[in-house]
Amino acid sequence: MRWEGNRQSDNVEDRRGDGDGGRVGGMGGRSLGLGSIVIALLASWIFGINPMTVLGLLDGGGAAPASMSAPTGHKPPANDRMAAFVSTVLADTEDVWTAQFRQMGKSYAKPTLVLFEGRTPTACGTGQAAMGPFYCPADQQVYIDLSFYDTLQRQLGAPGDFAQAYVIAHEVGHHVQHLLGVSGKVDRMRSQVSEAQGNALSVRLELQADCLAGVWAHHAQAARQLLDAGDVEEAMNAASRIGDDALQQQAGGTVRPDSFTHGSSAQRVRWFRKGLEQGQMAGCNTFDNKAL
């Protein structure tokens, strides 16, 4: 991926090394081990919408209080290559979505990307590294512990810088959904239906975010020729590796489609590819498609 030398976003807050973020704590202060969190959330946290939602919190209300005061963030060090990478990817999403919203006659409110270690307070509760990257609609911020990229490569078998960019683009896709009112509507609907029906709605929300990540890649490539040979394959591999069926199999359990919250590997690949090839937000309407 050809990203070096491109614009970096100013909307990056570095909390690494601040507060007591090195220890992994629990929601609301209850201590949870890293292994137990990963096992409990394996089928739903990777690239997911705000993982606090998985734990029963709804968009726009009922957020658990953070168990620690917010640290004072700062800009990432200029010589931090990984921070420079995610800052550059975020800037590229800003450029693409600003243009897309302008075409709709709307203004794009840029999200903040927060870098942290271990755990950090958010408007949605205490975010933890074990949850993977996530988006909090209450403060319109994307959170990531950069050590996740080691997990993506070593444990999930999805290496590559474009796979890493896909992580950011997917979470920004949730921000786009929030700005357009999609995620709030889905949360309200999910609170009124059965668990299985709620899971099905979550799958459609997640697949739409995958498609929106593809839309970003389409326009970024057209404008700036970011992609090297093999980059698309990296993203497709990442999408395949984090399908609900693949994660359930990796965890040694039975594949249960009714418990899916993000979609199967094939579905995630299909919708990312659709966004990438078409570059049209209208093509990402997963809610009106009977066959996913």
Side-chain angles (χ1 to χ4, degrees):
M1 179 177 173
R2 297 186 288 272
W3 62 272
E4 293 180 275
N6 292 344
R7 182 179 75 86
Q8 295 183 24
S9 175
D10 292 326
N11 299 308
V12 177
E13 178 182 337
D14 191 353
R15 297 183 185 176
R16 296 171 298 174
D18 295 334
D20 65 341
R23 293 182 290 114
V24 177
M27 294 296 297
R30 184 168 63 91
S31 178
L32 291 174
L34 175 63
S36 62
I37 296 173
V38 172
I39 292 172
L41 300 180
L42 186 61
S44 60
W45 57 250
I46 300 175
F47 301 125
I49 193 168
N50 170 23
M52 273 65 89
T53 299
V54 179
L55 301 177
L57 302 178
L58 299 177
D59 179 81
S67 60
M68 51 188 171
S69 60
T72 302
H74 49 81
K75 290 186 177 181
N79 61 350
D80 187 326
R81 180 175 174 80
M82 185 53 69
F85 170 75
V86 295
S87 298
T88 303
V89 173
L90 182 65
D92 209 288
T93 66
E94 291 170 350
D95 294 342
V96 168
W97 290 117
T98 295
Q100 293 297 304
F101 271 58
R102 185 181 300 118
Q103 290 179 13
M104 295 186 291
K106 300 177 181 292
S107 296
Y108 178 65
K110 301 173 183 177
T112 297
L113 176 64
V114 178
L115 310 180
F116 72 99
E117 293 176 329
R119 64 177 185 172
T120 194
T122 82
C124 298
T126 301
Q128 302 189 43
M131 296 170 174
F134 63 93
Y135 172 68
C136 174
D139 57 23
Q140 297 188 26
Q141 297 188 147
V142 173
Y143 293 83
I144 184 171
D145 184 321
L146 294 178
S147 65
F148 169 77
Y149 286 141
D150 290 332
T151 300
L152 188 66
Q153 176 176 344
R154 297 177 185 177
Q155 297 183 24
L156 298 175
D161 52 7
F162 194 57
Q164 295 170 348
Y166 169 41
V167 173
I168 304 298
H170 178 98
E171 297 308 331
V172 172
H174 285 308
H175 177 62
V176 171
Q177 291 172 318
H178 173 67
L179 294 180
L180 296 177
V182 176
S183 54
K185 182 178 180 180
V186 169
D187 278 337
R188 290 189 293 273
M189 294 173 60
R190 197 160 44 199
S191 68
Q192 300 170 5
V193 298
S194 67
E195 181 179 357
Q197 291 171 322
N199 288 343
L201 286 170
S202 295
V203 166
R204 292 180 182 273
L205 193 70
E206 294 297 330
L207 294 179
Q208 185 179 67
D210 281 334
C211 185
L212 293 174
V215 170
W216 159 73
H218 174 96
H219 291 285
Q221 173 65 3
R224 288 169 284 284
Q225 292 75 52
L226 296 180
L227 302 183
D228 286 318
D231 280 346
V232 171
E233 287 74 16
E234 288 176 1
M236 296 299 180
N237 177 56
S240 177
R241 296 281 182 167
I242 48 78
D244 284 325
D245 51 346
L247 291 174
Q248 289 181 357
Q249 288 173 342
Q250 182 178 342
T254 302
V255 174
R256 296 179 50 237
D258 62 333
S259 70
F260 287 1
T261 57
H262 288 61
S264 69
S265 294
Q267 289 170 335
R268 301 201 69 167
V269 169
R270 184 181 307 124
W271 282 97
F272 176 77
R273 185 187 297 277
K274 185 173 185 178
L276 177 64
E277 292 179 349
Q278 296 183 0
Q280 299 291 328
M281 293 179 65
C284 294
N285 189 353
T286 56
F287 296 94
D288 286 344
N289 276 265
K290 293 183 178 180
L292 294 175

